[in-house]
Amino acid sequence: MEIRDLQAKAAQIRMDVLNMIFRAKTGHTGGSLSNADIVTALYYRIMKIDPANPKAKDRDRFILSKGHSVESLWSVLADRGFFPKEELATFSQFGTKLIGHPNNKVPGIEMNTGALGHGLAVAVGMALAAKRDGAGYRAFCLMGDGEQAEGSVWEAAMAGAHYNLDNLVGIIDRNRLQISGSTEEVMGLEPLETKWEAFGWNVVSIDGNDMQALIDTLEAIPSAAGKPTLIMANTVKGKGVSFAENVPHWHHHVPNEHELSLALGELAATLESYRREGV
């Protein structure tokens, strides 16, 4: 996909997210909107995956460590054909496989996540296995910034550098808000880039809602031989919906009918503008 196509796809993913959460009357809205560009870039341009063979040995691995923001991932997996798109309507309903966190009973999900701080350690193991097996696949792990307060993240970071895992990519959805407010008020993280560099990672800081920047950065990996890469994806929580952006309340706010109509209208206009530019 070209950049405009990816931007349009991300807008559609955001619309899916809002519809899913509205129908289910539950979900994590803000983070799913902020990470939509990241998962779109990975699944439509960067990662080696095959929806027809989701367990292919040479597939790239993706772990959504910030598992509560799963709605965007469900939408992407359905759109890529890992399961029928009609199943999105069952999100968080009784008996569904599409629960509020990644569920490895669903094709395309590598591991159940939700307990923050666990994803990177597993990604380290996957990347290390690839190295030792002489395999060419990569491991990508998307973390939240509030998640950086978990000690297990830093244990995994130390291991990733120790084993020279340049096939490992950590991405932080740095939207600066968590469930109880600003990350810097809840548990100060800065200087976050310096900390990751001190742990031996190659750190690249970008606008995580800029599709061109995401593609340029991800396609350049590994940009430092023998080092894992940490992408500091500076994003806007609630991205794409003007009245939700940078509003802590939208962490898990369920839109009402009026809010949904306004939000879908904004995103539809965004989608149409990208389509016009691509003609």
Side-chain angles (χ1 to χ4, degrees):
M1 274 192 171
E2 298 301 318
I3 295 299
R4 288 298 178 192
D5 297 324
L6 291 167
Q7 290 169 323
K9 182 62 69 176
Q12 183 60 62
I13 296 303
R14 289 184 168 99
M15 295 173 76
D16 288 346
V17 165
L18 289 165
N19 280 315
M20 290 165 62
I21 291 173
F22 176 76
R23 282 193 300 262
K25 304 305 178 191
T26 187
H28 287 80
T29 313
S32 293
L33 295 176
S34 70
N35 73 26
D37 298 296
I38 298 168
V39 293
T40 297
L42 289 171
Y43 276 88
Y44 292 90
R45 176 82 172 250
I46 298 300
M47 292 198 309
K48 183 179 181 180
I49 55 171
D50 181 3
N53 186 14
K55 292 295 185 181
K57 289 185 177 180
D58 63 346
R59 72 189 184 281
D60 285 333
R61 273 68 165 170
F62 174 74
I63 294 176
L64 181 64
S65 193
K66 52 172 295 183
H68 55 281
S69 294
V70 72
E71 292 87 349
S72 54
L73 180 57
W74 288 145
S75 176
V76 167
L77 290 176
D79 192 61
R80 285 302 319 265
F82 284 90
F83 58 86
K85 197 162 186 178
E86 293 75 21
E87 289 187 22
L88 293 179
T90 73
F91 171 66
S92 282
Q93 303 299 315
F94 180 76
T96 185
K97 292 180 181 178
L98 305 185
I99 56 177
H101 290 80
N103 168 21
N104 64 5
K105 293 180 180 179
V106 178
I109 298 295
E110 300 290 344
M111 69 172 286
N112 299 340
T113 58
L116 296 176
H118 291 186
L120 186 62
V122 176
V124 167
M126 290 173 168
L128 181 59
K131 288 285 188 181
R132 292 190 170 179
D133 289 345
Y137 64 81
R138 300 169 294 173
F140 296 84
C141 180
L142 178 56
M143 298 172 280
D145 49 6
E147 184 176 2
Q148 304 306 296
E150 298 283 354
S152 52
V153 169
W154 299 100
E155 295 176 50
M158 186 163 52
H162 175 76
Y163 290 108
N164 307 117
L165 299 179
D166 53 10
N167 60 340
L168 172 64
V169 182
I171 307 170
I172 298 177
D173 184 6
R174 185 70 170 116
N175 59 40
R176 291 176 167 77
L177 290 174
Q178 57 191 101
I179 189 169
S180 49
S182 161
T183 56
E184 300 313 295
E185 293 173 346
V186 176
M187 179 64 71
L189 300 174
E190 296 297 346
L192 190 54
E193 293 175 32
T194 304
K195 290 174 183 176
W196 277 90
E197 288 170 347
F199 271 71
W201 287 56
N202 176 50
V203 178
V204 183
S205 183
I206 62 171
D207 180 344
N209 295 130
D210 182 329
M211 191 62 72
Q212 185 70 64
L214 282 165
I215 296 302
D216 290 346
T217 301
L218 288 163
E219 289 187 339
I221 292 171
S223 49
K227 282 188 173 186
T229 295
L230 187 284
I231 299 175
M232 193 70 65
N234 295 287
T235 63
V236 174
K237 198 151 190 172
K239 179 67 176 178
V241 179
S242 61
F243 51 90
E245 291 184 353
N246 288 318
V247 180
H249 173 63
W250 276 81
H251 178 84
H252 52 45
H253 176 66
V254 176
N256 58 37
E257 288 189 22
H258 179 63
E259 291 168 332
L260 178 68
S261 177
L262 291 176
L264 293 179
E266 289 186 7
L267 288 166
T270 299
L271 177 59
E272 182 59 28
S273 70
Y274 287 138
R275 285 174 172 168
R276 284 199 304 269
E277 291 176 22
V279 173

